[in-house]
mmCIF file of all heavy atoms in Angstrom:
data_model
loop_
_atom_site.group_PDB
_atom_site.id
_atom_site.type_symbol
_atom_site.label_atom_id
_atom_site.label_comp_id
_atom_site.label_asym_id
_atom_site.label_seq_id
_atom_site.Cartn_x
_atom_site.Cartn_y
_atom_site.Cartn_z
ATOM 1 N N PRO A 252 116.113 96.388 115.685
ATOM 2 C CA PRO A 252 115.442 95.180 116.155
ATOM 3 C C PRO A 252 116.124 93.950 115.566
ATOM 4 O O PRO A 252 116.647 93.997 114.454
ATOM 5 C CB PRO A 252 114.015 95.321 115.630
ATOM 6 C CG PRO A 252 114.074 96.361 114.572
ATOM 7 C CD PRO A 252 115.267 97.217 114.861
ATOM 8 N N PRO A 253 116.155 92.883 116.306
ATOM 9 C CA PRO A 253 116.821 91.682 115.789
ATOM 10 C C PRO A 253 116.110 91.174 114.540
ATOM 11 O O PRO A 253 114.884 91.203 114.463
ATOM 12 C CB PRO A 253 116.709 90.678 116.927
ATOM 13 C CG PRO A 253 115.588 91.176 117.762
ATOM 14 C CD PRO A 253 115.542 92.668 117.592
ATOM 15 N N LEU A 254 116.887 90.754 113.566
ATOM 16 C CA LEU A 254 116.306 90.190 112.359
ATOM 17 C C LEU A 254 115.998 88.727 112.616
ATOM 18 O O LEU A 254 116.860 87.966 113.041
ATOM 19 C CB LEU A 254 117.279 90.319 111.186
ATOM 20 C CG LEU A 254 117.591 91.748 110.765
ATOM 21 C CD1 LEU A 254 118.621 91.731 109.647
ATOM 22 C CD2 LEU A 254 116.336 92.452 110.306
ATOM 23 N N LEU A 255 114.763 88.366 112.364
ATOM 24 C CA LEU A 255 114.362 86.989 112.571
ATOM 25 C C LEU A 255 114.494 86.233 111.260
ATOM 26 O O LEU A 255 114.175 86.737 110.195
ATOM 27 C CB LEU A 255 112.912 86.921 113.059
ATOM 28 C CG LEU A 255 112.658 87.574 114.415
ATOM 29 C CD1 LEU A 255 111.185 87.534 114.734
ATOM 30 C CD2 LEU A 255 113.443 86.875 115.497
ATOM 31 N N ALA A 256 114.960 85.041 111.349
ATOM 32 C CA ALA A 256 115.030 84.198 110.157
ATOM 33 C C ALA A 256 113.611 83.919 109.694
ATOM 34 O O ALA A 256 112.680 83.900 110.500
ATOM 35 C CB ALA A 256 115.749 82.899 110.497
ATOM 36 N N PRO A 257 113.422 83.723 108.397
ATOM 37 C CA PRO A 257 112.067 83.422 107.936
ATOM 38 C C PRO A 257 111.582 82.109 108.531
ATOM 39 O O PRO A 257 112.383 81.215 108.815
ATOM 40 C CB PRO A 257 112.220 83.319 106.420
ATOM 41 C CG PRO A 257 113.662 83.129 106.168
ATOM 42 C CD PRO A 257 114.389 83.719 107.334
ATOM 43 N N LEU A 258 110.293 82.023 108.726
ATOM 44 C CA LEU A 258 109.705 80.776 109.195
ATOM 45 C C LEU A 258 109.710 79.816 108.012
ATOM 46 O O LEU A 258 109.104 80.087 106.987
ATOM 47 C CB LEU A 258 108.279 81.005 109.693
ATOM 48 C CG LEU A 258 107.508 79.779 110.153
ATOM 49 C CD1 LEU A 258 108.196 79.141 111.351
ATOM 50 C CD2 LEU A 258 106.088 80.148 110.494
ATOM 51 N N ALA A 259 110.442 78.734 108.127
ATOM 52 C CA ALA A 259 110.549 77.761 107.044
ATOM 53 C C ALA A 259 110.046 76.411 107.524
ATOM 54 O O ALA A 259 110.554 75.866 108.496
ATOM 55 C CB ALA A 259 111.994 77.657 106.571
ATOM 56 N N THR A 260 109.033 75.895 106.827
ATOM 57 C CA THR A 260 108.456 74.610 107.195
ATOM 58 C C THR A 260 108.318 73.687 105.986
ATOM 59 O O THR A 260 107.313 73.000 105.857
ATOM 60 C CB THR A 260 107.074 74.816 107.830
ATOM 61 O OG1 THR A 260 106.232 75.444 106.862
ATOM 62 C CG2 THR A 260 107.134 75.635 109.087
ATOM 63 N N PRO A 261 109.293 73.676 105.076
ATOM 64 C CA PRO A 261 109.108 72.839 103.888
ATOM 65 C C PRO A 261 109.111 71.352 104.219
ATOM 66 O O PRO A 261 109.893 70.887 105.040
ATOM 67 C CB PRO A 261 110.293 73.207 102.995
ATOM 68 C CG PRO A 261 111.287 73.838 103.878
ATOM 69 C CD PRO A 261 110.547 74.398 105.054
ATOM 70 N N GLY A 262 108.185 70.640 103.571
ATOM 71 C CA GLY A 262 108.164 69.188 103.680
ATOM 72 C C GLY A 262 107.596 68.621 104.959
ATOM 73 O O GLY A 262 107.741 67.436 105.217
ATOM 74 N N HIS A 263 106.924 69.412 105.775
ATOM 75 C CA HIS A 263 106.373 68.901 107.026
ATOM 76 C C HIS A 263 104.941 68.386 106.894
ATOM 77 O O HIS A 263 104.324 67.993 107.868
ATOM 78 C CB HIS A 263 106.434 69.976 108.117
ATOM 79 C CG HIS A 263 107.811 70.203 108.632
ATOM 80 N ND1 HIS A 263 108.620 71.206 108.158
ATOM 81 C CD2 HIS A 263 108.537 69.533 109.559
ATOM 82 C CE1 HIS A 263 109.776 71.167 108.784
ATOM 83 N NE2 HIS A 263 109.758 70.157 109.637
ATOM 84 N N LYS A 264 104.392 68.420 105.703
ATOM 85 C CA LYS A 264 103.034 67.938 105.405
ATOM 86 C C LYS A 264 101.972 68.652 106.242
ATOM 87 O O LYS A 264 101.010 68.055 106.710
ATOM 88 C CB LYS A 264 102.921 66.415 105.557
ATOM 89 C CG LYS A 264 103.874 65.669 104.657
ATOM 90 C CD LYS A 264 103.647 66.004 103.195
ATOM 91 C CE LYS A 264 104.707 65.385 102.307
ATOM 92 N NZ LYS A 264 104.823 66.078 101.023
ATOM 93 N N ILE A 265 102.168 69.938 106.441
ATOM 94 C CA ILE A 265 101.192 70.768 107.141
ATOM 95 C C ILE A 265 99.935 70.854 106.281
ATOM 96 O O ILE A 265 100.011 71.145 105.092
ATOM 97 C CB ILE A 265 101.771 72.170 107.405
ATOM 98 C CG1 ILE A 265 102.967 72.059 108.351
ATOM 99 C CG2 ILE A 265 100.716 73.109 107.951
ATOM 100 C CD1 ILE A 265 103.760 73.339 108.485
ATOM 101 N N ALA A 266 98.770 70.601 106.867
ATOM 102 C CA ALA A 266 97.523 70.558 106.116
ATOM 103 C C ALA A 266 96.796 71.897 106.068
ATOM 104 O O ALA A 266 96.013 72.142 105.155
ATOM 105 C CB ALA A 266 96.598 69.500 106.700
ATOM 106 N N ALA A 267 97.027 72.760 107.039
ATOM 107 C CA ALA A 267 96.320 74.039 107.086
ATOM 108 C C ALA A 267 97.209 75.097 107.724
ATOM 109 O O ALA A 267 98.068 74.787 108.552
ATOM 110 C CB ALA A 267 95.024 73.901 107.888
ATOM 111 N N ILE A 268 96.961 76.329 107.328
ATOM 112 C CA ILE A 268 97.675 77.454 107.928
ATOM 113 C C ILE A 268 96.924 77.826 109.196
ATOM 114 O O ILE A 268 95.728 78.128 109.146
ATOM 115 C CB ILE A 268 97.742 78.640 106.952
ATOM 116 C CG1 ILE A 268 98.536 78.237 105.714
ATOM 117 C CG2 ILE A 268 98.340 79.859 107.622
ATOM 118 C CD1 ILE A 268 98.474 79.236 104.583
ATOM 119 N N GLU A 269 97.612 77.778 110.333
ATOM 120 C CA GLU A 269 96.957 78.106 111.597
ATOM 121 C C GLU A 269 97.987 78.534 112.639
ATOM 122 O O GLU A 269 99.177 78.296 112.494
ATOM 123 C CB GLU A 269 96.141 76.916 112.118
ATOM 124 C CG GLU A 269 96.935 75.649 112.287
ATOM 125 C CD GLU A 269 96.073 74.433 112.572
ATOM 126 O OE1 GLU A 269 94.832 74.550 112.535
ATOM 127 O OE2 GLU A 269 96.642 73.381 112.858
#
Side-chain angles (χ1 to χ4, degrees):
L254 295 177
L255 297 176
L258 177 63
T260 61
H263 286 96
K264 301 301 173 202
I265 296 170
I268 297 170
E269 56 190 6

